[in-house]
Amino acid sequence: MRARVLSSMLVVAIVAALGAGAAAQGQGAPPAPGAQGARPGGTGGRGGGRGFNLPPLLMQTDAFPDGGIVPAKYAGAGGVQPGFKFLNAPDGTVSYAIIFHDLDVSLMGGIDDVLHWTAWNIPAAAGGIPEGKLPEGSVQGPNITQKNVYFGPGAPAGPRYHHYVFELYALSANLDIPPTSGRADLLKAMEGKVVAKAAYVGRFRQGE
């Protein structure tokens, strides 16, 4: 009987010691204020618990839902440029740039896809772009047809939709590049100036 009691007491002591060791290492306890991965104010942070929070830059439009089908109004060479609102831009945003392209095409065996539109120096104060035009001061670059205009989706009829992405960049400065600049020139000019990024996707195929 005495041996059983001593054995039970020994088990309890071991469990208590293990629990104390885990607590000392911070296991099973909430992170200390200011520690990496902490969630100040009880709000869920962005970044997978890595201790930083990135408020998202947002794009909004009534033209079609994000991930939805692009209406024929906005498609093709004569299509109308959709209007967008830009929200949650970080402090210090001076201008925006847009790259609009078709992800589902690989050109000449390389990594380039079909470039439908680029625009930059869109004033931050505009808060977006109206349908069919750009705010004063904005610059448009050449698309795949070498025209400095919006070129809407045009994927052929078939078993799948193509995915068309509007990439939006919030920049800390205007870009000093000419309207003849291609996508590579635009990306190079934006280096070191990007303060936030967003994307909006539309799907399209002929016959919809």
Side-chain angles (χ1 to χ4, degrees):
M1 180 70 178
R2 179 183 178 85
R4 290 181 184 176
V5 171
L6 289 176
S7 177
S8 298
M9 292 176 63
L10 181 60
V11 171
V12 171
I14 292 173
V15 171
L18 290 174
Q25 296 178 34
Q27 297 177 4
Q36 188 176 26
R39 298 181 179 182
T43 59
R46 296 178 182 273
R50 296 179 181 175
F52 60 86
N53 185 20
L54 296 176
L57 177 65
L58 298 175
M59 303 178 72
Q60 292 182 350
T61 181
D62 294 329
F64 53 90
D66 192 7
I69 307 302
V70 179
K73 172 182 178 180
Y74 306 102
V80 177
Q81 167 220 304
F84 284 96
K85 291 181 180 179
F86 306 151
L87 306 172
N88 289 355
D91 292 340
T93 299
V94 172
S95 67
Y96 296 100
I98 295 175
I99 299 176
F100 178 48
H101 57 113
D102 178 356
L103 285 176
D104 291 278
V105 177
S106 176
L107 297 179
M108 307 295 291
I111 60 174
D112 279 345
D113 51 31
V114 176
L115 181 64
H116 281 254
W117 186 46
T118 59
W120 60 90
N121 290 355
I122 301 168
I129 55 176
E131 183 172 288
K133 61 181 180 179
L134 291 173
E136 185 175 353
S138 304
V139 180
Q140 298 183 92
N143 57 36
I144 194 171
T145 68
Q146 296 304 307
K147 295 181 180 179
N148 294 52
V149 295
Y150 168 84
F151 177 30
R160 67 185 177 96
Y161 293 94
H162 282 211
H163 296 78
Y164 294 83
V165 181
F166 291 86
E167 292 183 12
L168 175 67
Y169 297 84
L171 305 174
S172 60
N174 283 319
L175 304 179
D176 186 18
I177 54 176
T180 53
S181 300
R183 174 165 37 179
D185 302 315
L186 175 56
L187 289 170
K188 183 175 179 58
M190 289 194 295
E191 288 182 2
K193 302 179 180 70
V194 178
V195 295
K197 184 180 178 182
Y200 202 93
V201 179
R203 296 179 295 135
F204 183 84
R205 66 184 177 188
Q206 296 287 350
E208 292 300 318

